[in-house]
Amino acid sequence: MKELCVKAYAKLNLSLDVLGAMGNGYHEMRMVMQSVTLADDVSIRLTDSGTVALRTNLGFLPNDERNIAAKAARLFFAEAGMEGAGAEIRLHKRVPVGAGLGGGSSDAAAVLRGLNEMTGTGFSREKLERLGARLGSDVPFCVAGGTQLASGRGDELRDLPPLPDCPIVICKPPFPIQTPALFACIDSRRSRIHPDTEGLLAALDGGDLVGLARRMYNVFEDVLPRRCAEIGQIKSRFLDLGALGTVMSGTGSAVFALFDSEALAEQARAELGRSYRECFLTRPLGRIL
Ligand code: C5P
């Protein structure tokens, strides 16, 4: 196969806990992660150029070896022993960048999955996840997606029962948040509130969307700088518009809300869409591998 187009789905953190610093520059996490249908398109063409070329529809993204999708292709070829192989990758970005939605991680995972299929290499899901961990902490989850519990650096994964189908609205305010800076703020906090992860997992087990939505919690919200006050305002607006629950995803700045009514979700998207350019109505997605 010479050419393939794969989807790179956005991820949400239904809950996010930071247990502590690991002493190697990373932190021990406990996160319930969920894929959604909002996605980038990743087109891959195999060449025998020995190089990886990349183009995107966003001018400000790097299109050289700094882009994680290009790194993924080079890592794959090296691991598969395909020294002379090359690829042309086109990224059509829809997932907001710098949002905590795992856009770059998902692009990288999609390249690993796509090249595995196109070249007939046949690496297992676990092998692709291990390769993903060398590219970034959220890449392993994005290899198979669905609903998973992520521990350790984010690369120790356990499949969970799927999130009940429901409309989800994502709203990204127009400022990015720097991930390492937010981890540093967490480190400087002495005591912290922790999410009720066990309660959330039990709600997931019982298919209890209301109980789950009520337990969504992200510890990074407790250490947001003052300039990010809009995050709280977006959450209030979601709740006023009938959301079951709302939380920031990852290190932000995107906020999402779960609804039990398509009409309310569409209304919330339209309402927040008047203030924010990047507002999406999406749905949960099951495992893809
Ligand atoms: O793994 P990734 O490159 O996505 O991580 C980016 C940064 O986020 C790391 O350099 C680190 O500062 C922080 N991080 C962390 N603990 C994790 C994941 C990320 O401290 N588990």
Side-chain angles (χ1 to χ4, degrees):
M1 197 190 302
K2 273 251 180 261
E3 202 153 356
L4 185 68
C5 187
V6 276
K7 291 278 182 193
Y9 298 101
K11 66 87 181 154
L12 303 175
N13 296 94
L14 300 178
S15 77
L16 188 156
D17 200 2
V18 180
L19 302 181
M22 294 169 100
N24 57 358
Y26 288 92
H27 291 74
E28 192 180 352
M29 315 291 288
R30 193 161 159 79
M31 310 182 277
V32 179
M33 303 178 76
Q34 176 65 51
S35 305
V36 291
T37 54
L38 173 67
D40 296 339
D41 287 327
V42 182
S43 307
I44 309 168
R45 205 168 75 82
L46 278 181
T47 67
D48 49 17
S49 64
T51 60
V52 175
L54 190 123
R55 274 186 297 150
T56 84
N57 60 324
L58 298 181
F60 60 86
L61 285 184
N63 56 7
D64 54 20
E65 58 279 353
R66 285 169 299 166
N67 191 301
I68 191 169
K71 283 186 196 161
R74 267 192 301 274
L75 178 63
F76 183 90
F77 289 140
E79 282 289 312
M82 300 176 66
E83 275 73 33
E88 288 171 17
I89 301 172
R90 266 181 301 129
L91 295 183
H92 184 85
K93 301 287 295 176
R94 283 191 207 87
V95 179
V97 175
L101 298 172
S105 304
S106 192
D107 294 340
V111 167
L112 295 178
R113 271 198 322 272
L115 287 177
N116 198 37
E117 184 179 335
M118 296 172 84
T119 59
T121 301
F123 284 155
S124 65
R125 170 182 166 184
E126 289 70 27
K127 169 75 178 177
L128 294 177
E129 288 170 351
R130 279 198 301 279
L131 291 185
R134 289 162 61 181
L135 297 163
S137 303
D138 283 343
V139 182
F141 165 79
C142 294
V143 165
T147 313
Q148 299 187 49
L149 178 68
S151 319
R153 210 187 100 201
D155 57 346
E156 294 168 26
L157 300 169
R158 189 176 101 207
D159 287 331
L160 295 171
L163 177 69
D165 189 37
C166 63
I168 301 174
V169 181
I170 299 174
C171 176
K172 156 81 174 44
F175 52 85
I177 296 178
Q178 298 306 326
T179 297
L182 217 49
F183 272 107
C185 293
I186 283 270
D187 289 339
S188 64
R189 271 278 175 114
R190 274 172 171 265
S191 64
R192 279 206 306 277
I193 298 172
H194 292 279
D196 176 16
T197 309
E198 293 311 314
L200 193 142
L201 293 177
L204 206 48
D205 253 331
D208 171 13
L209 187 63
V210 172
L212 179 142
R214 205 177 285 150
R215 288 177 177 84
M216 296 196 303
Y217 196 91
N218 180 343
V219 297
F220 284 124
E221 282 183 38
D222 299 337
V223 297
L224 285 173
R226 222 180 281 275
R227 66 176 177 86
C228 299
E230 247 170 304
I231 305 257
Q233 291 158 12
I234 293 169
K235 288 177 65 177
S236 297
R237 286 177 72 181
F238 270 138
L239 292 175
D240 289 344
L241 289 160
L244 296 177
T246 174
V247 73
M248 184 176 82
S249 187
T251 51
S253 60
V255 178
F256 67 93
L258 307 189
F259 288 84
D260 60 2
S261 143
E262 196 72 42
L264 285 180
E266 178 48 50
Q267 200 183 335
R269 197 208 60 76
E271 185 65 36
L272 281 151
R274 277 194 267 279
S275 315
Y276 299 100
R277 195 175 52 83
E278 295 186 285
C279 263
F280 308 87
L281 180 55
T282 185
R283 299 197 88 87
L285 184 84
R287 257 188 29 225
I288 49 170
L289 203 67

